[in-house]
Amino acid sequence: MTQAAASPAPERDFGIYIHVPFCSVRCGYCDFNTYAPGETDGATPASYVEAALREMAFARSVMSDDPRPASTVFFGGGTPTLLDAGALAKLLDGVRSTWGLIVDAEVTTEANPDSVSARSLAALAEASFTRVSFGMQSAVPHVLATLDRTHRPENVSRGVAWARDVGLATSVDLIYGTPGESLADWRDSVDAALGFEPDHISAYALVIEPGTRMGVQLRRGEVAPTDPDVQADMYELADEAFTAAGFEWYEVSNWARTAADRCRHNLGYWTSQDWWGIGPGAHSYLGPDEARQARRWWNVKHPRAYAERLSAGLSPEQEGEPLSAEDLDLEQIMLGLRLADGIPCPPGRADAVARLIADGLVDGRAALGGTLKLTRRGRLLADRAVRELTA
Ligand SMILES: C[S@@+](CC[C@H](N)C(=O)[O-])C[C@H]1O[C@@H](n2cnc3c(N)ncnc32)[C@H](O)[C@@H]1O
Ligand code: SF4
């Protein structure tokens, strides 16, 4: 199938992801497709906005059916809030005029705590954004320094309070297992995050990719990797503290105050809904159509190449792949098993399921009822559980 035949199916939600590929500084641990000043080869936020609007028009021209309104829009990065609120509102208007938005659409932007003000957040709320996700990472200065974070810890509480004051739902991202971070440091970050009273918290184990600056430091022995057992203790500490404060986990790395506070956009990825990714390096996925054919594709990575292709009237797609029914079954296990709601027991996997129950990784009672749900130990070993089920 080509993009020309692509269309989201009415039985699935449709989300729009907008990738903003700029950061004021590249953090040493970050492997995302983002560019600091000096790395953009002439691409600017203004040229990016024009290119992204062009991609929306292109998307509409290749979609076969009437536009289906988006249920969610997620501005990710990079640092979307390096664009001013007017530019973000213009992109959201682009989504509205291209596809429309459902009445209670969730519209999120990621934000670096330093790149918002009371005024910019009020302008985003005014433009129908509903949610802001702050990159907090840690509350401890030496941990923030190791992560190359430039924001001051107090800017997070200020940002969350400003966002709440104008009616935006709030989330904070934390990272655990930074080299040199102790369990006591992590407890301080967890307590600080809870003290801001956000609606949602994400806590990610630090992944150090070989190609990043921190990956090089690790190879040279300049930083020490965190012991996996300590990282597991950090996860348990966070889960206990979040649960005691009234949050509920709904995905291995995500906790929400109520079911209504879960991130609907990310749930769309994890439950194989449809989405179109706008921007350099953005990925898109449209699930099975009438011919039972699903497809994923991704855009060229550099913002300059991206803008040039769209200016020339070309698709920004770099590559894509059809997904077979087996691929989709595998993805449902990989992504769905990480959700608190679990997945239906995969057929033909009784031995693997029995092993996972015996090892305490999945809930035996739920499995008897036909649903696989991870226990807390299973959440710590989710990758192993997926491997057992897909081997
Ligand atoms: C793409 S970033 C965008 C947010 C924003 N640029 C910021 O960092 O403040 C989204 C989140 O991914 C997480 N993240 C990025 N790199 C990571 C890594 N190597 N390991 C674990 N989490 C990571 C961070 O928690 C970050 O807030
Ligand atoms: S600010 Fe966020 S996206 Fe930018 S380099 Fe740091 S972690 Fe990556």
Side-chain angles (χ1 to χ4, degrees), residues 35 115 153 183 190 206 210 240 261 268 277 283 315 317 339 358 372:
Y35 300 83
S115 63
L183 206 55
V190 165
L206 179 68
E240 269 161 27
D261 296 313
H283 286 231
S315 163
E317 176 178 337
L339 296 171
L372 277 194

Side-chain angles (χ1 to χ4, degrees), residues 29-30 32 77-79 110-112 135 137 149 173 175 204-207:
Y29 61 90
C30 180
F32 282 84
T79 306
E110 291 182 334
N112 188 312
Q137 322 310 355
R149 299 298 297 200
D173 286 348
I175 287 181
Y204 303 112
L206 179 68
V207 176

Side-chain angles (χ1 to χ4, degrees), residues 123-146:
L124 291 176
E126 181 70 19
S128 308
F129 281 70
T130 62
R131 199 171 171 272
V132 185
S133 171
F134 290 96
M136 170 180 172
Q137 322 310 355
S138 171
V140 178
H142 79 86
V143 176
L144 288 171
T146 304

